[in-house]
Amino acid sequence: QMDLCIEAFGTSKQKRALNTRRMNAVGSDVLSTAVTKAAANVIGTKGITALIQDVAQDDAQNISTFLPSCNEDAEKPEDVYKFEDILSPAEYEALQVPAAVFVNITPEEITKRAEDKSHCSFVLEELKFLPADEKSRDHKARCLWFLDTLIKFSYLKVIKKKHPMGPECPHIISRKLMKNFTSLTYNNGSVQNLISASMKAKITAYVIALALHINNFQTDLTILQNDMKLQESRMMDIAKAMRLKVSKAKDLPSLENDQNHKLGTLSLPLPVQKAAGNQRKRKKMN
């Protein structure tokens, strides 16, 4: 109605502005239609499955691109992968409400959640050793809740829901997951969020970094590997790219008899990164 009023009674300047706005709107629609049509043509020619495989192969070539920011000049292990780069202060604050279920959890509840497989093995094990100190207990609960959410998020493939982790997940965390840990893809004329091989690697790297902060910078990589449903070679590639020292675990209560668990330790000085030339031998990384 306002546009009609401007057409009938507006000044020349208002009419020019209205015409420009309409032309821009048309141009935007034309561009959007063209992009969608082009994407649809590519998908129609090659197929969405083939495209996803191409993305996975391309993404898998360089893991280091998707690692958390690494401070090689850090003087303390906690400064190599800074906690604030994993969770911003606002995101950390938002975790207080959902993580409250962990703060007062009882041994009986942990046993029941283990039977129900409500949480990943790493989180269930760490819940048994929450600190008595209220502040430290709350901090660890928030970290475990986010780590568990990251791992569950990694199980998704093509994400169609706006809030894939459910209503209990804070909006700021949902936005972080969608923005930082998915790739955009086109399907049937619409944009969708995809967890590609590179995004799976990125989630794994952030899970490792957070686990290191939780476990005083040494963590069981095999438990995390099982939780992330990864092959050991893939997990080791990511851990080594993160400059961790990998060793065999011995005499840990969580060890399974049928697996040789690997420990990842973040210590200074950081190991020298190997040249990328040796990576050519490994083609199957997903």
Side-chain angles (χ1 to χ4, degrees):
Q1 289 178 343
M2 181 62 73
D3 289 349
L4 291 174
C5 288
I6 292 174
E7 278 185 329
F9 309 109
T11 63
S12 297
K13 185 176 180 180
Q14 288 174 325
K15 289 179 180 179
R16 283 198 302 271
L18 174 62
N19 188 51
T20 300
R21 180 160 52 80
R22 284 178 170 173
M23 290 298 292
N24 287 341
V26 171
S28 178
D29 290 342
V30 170
L31 178 61
S32 177
T33 302
V35 169
T36 301
K37 186 176 180 181
N41 288 339
V42 172
I43 291 169
T45 302
K46 196 163 187 179
I48 186 66
T49 302
L51 283 175
I52 290 175
Q53 289 175 347
D54 284 352
V55 170
Q57 290 174 356
D58 292 341
D59 287 347
Q61 297 305 312
N62 189 2
I63 295 174
S64 62
T65 306
F66 305 99
L67 300 181
S69 178
C70 178
N71 178 17
E72 297 191 7
D73 298 324
E75 296 180 357
K76 297 181 292 183
E78 54 264 39
D79 291 334
V80 176
Y81 297 107
K82 292 185 178 180
F83 187 80
E84 293 76 14
D85 291 336
I86 303 170
L87 280 168
S88 72
E91 292 160 353
Y92 180 79
E93 184 64 28
L95 291 172
Q96 181 180 9
V97 173
V101 296
F102 285 170
V103 173
N104 299 315
I105 197 167
T106 64
E108 292 76 20
E109 288 175 321
I110 295 174
T111 301
K112 186 177 184 305
R113 288 172 186 253
E115 292 170 354
D116 297 340
K117 297 183 178 179
S118 303
H119 306 291
C120 64
S121 299
F122 178 89
V123 169
L124 289 168
E125 187 65 25
E126 290 299 323
L127 284 173
K128 298 175 184 177
F129 305 103
L130 289 175
D133 174 69
E134 185 178 342
K135 187 175 180 180
S136 300
R137 190 180 184 90
D138 175 62
H139 173 73
K140 186 170 182 178
R142 296 191 203 197
C143 293
L144 290 175
W145 194 92
F146 181 64
L147 186 144
D148 192 60
T149 299
L150 265 181
I151 291 177
K152 289 175 180 175
F153 187 72
S154 75
Y155 298 159
L156 306 178
K157 293 183 180 179
V158 177
I159 301 165
K160 299 178 182 179
K161 296 179 181 179
K162 189 175 181 180
H163 301 289
M165 304 314 294
E168 69 277 4
C169 184
H171 178 69
I172 191 173
I173 300 298
S174 292
R175 189 166 69 244
K176 178 187 185 72
L177 296 175
M178 297 295 283
K179 180 181 178 182
N180 295 338
F181 300 107
T182 67
S183 303
L184 290 179
T185 185
Y186 290 91
N187 190 20
N188 294 329
S190 63
V191 178
Q192 292 180 337
N193 293 84
L194 168 76
I195 297 183
S196 60
S198 67
M199 290 298 106
K200 181 91 171 182
K202 184 175 183 179
I203 292 172
T204 303
Y206 276 76
V207 164
I208 292 173
L210 189 53
L212 289 168
H213 276 275
I214 292 170
N215 278 339
N216 199 26
F217 304 98
Q218 183 178 76
T219 193
D220 190 323
L221 295 173
T222 303
I223 289 181
L224 293 176
Q225 170 205 320
N226 292 339
D227 284 336
M228 291 293 298
K229 301 179 181 178
L230 292 174
Q231 293 181 351
E232 185 182 80
S233 59
R234 179 65 161 167
M235 191 68 174
M236 294 304 109
D237 284 341
I238 296 171
K240 289 173 183 176
M242 292 181 71
R243 317 283 284 276
L244 301 188
K245 295 177 181 177
V246 179
S247 59
K248 290 183 180 180
K250 297 179 181 179
D251 301 325
L252 290 180
S254 59
L255 292 186
E256 298 171 12
N257 294 328
D258 60 342
Q259 278 189 300
N260 294 316
H261 282 231
K262 301 289 177 61
L263 283 179
T265 304
L266 180 62
S267 59
L268 299 175
L270 294 174
V272 178
Q273 225 164 7
K274 293 181 180 180
N278 296 330
Q279 295 296 324
R280 293 180 182 177
K281 294 180 181 179
R282 287 182 183 269
K283 289 186 178 180
K284 294 182 181 180
M285 296 185 68
N286 52 346

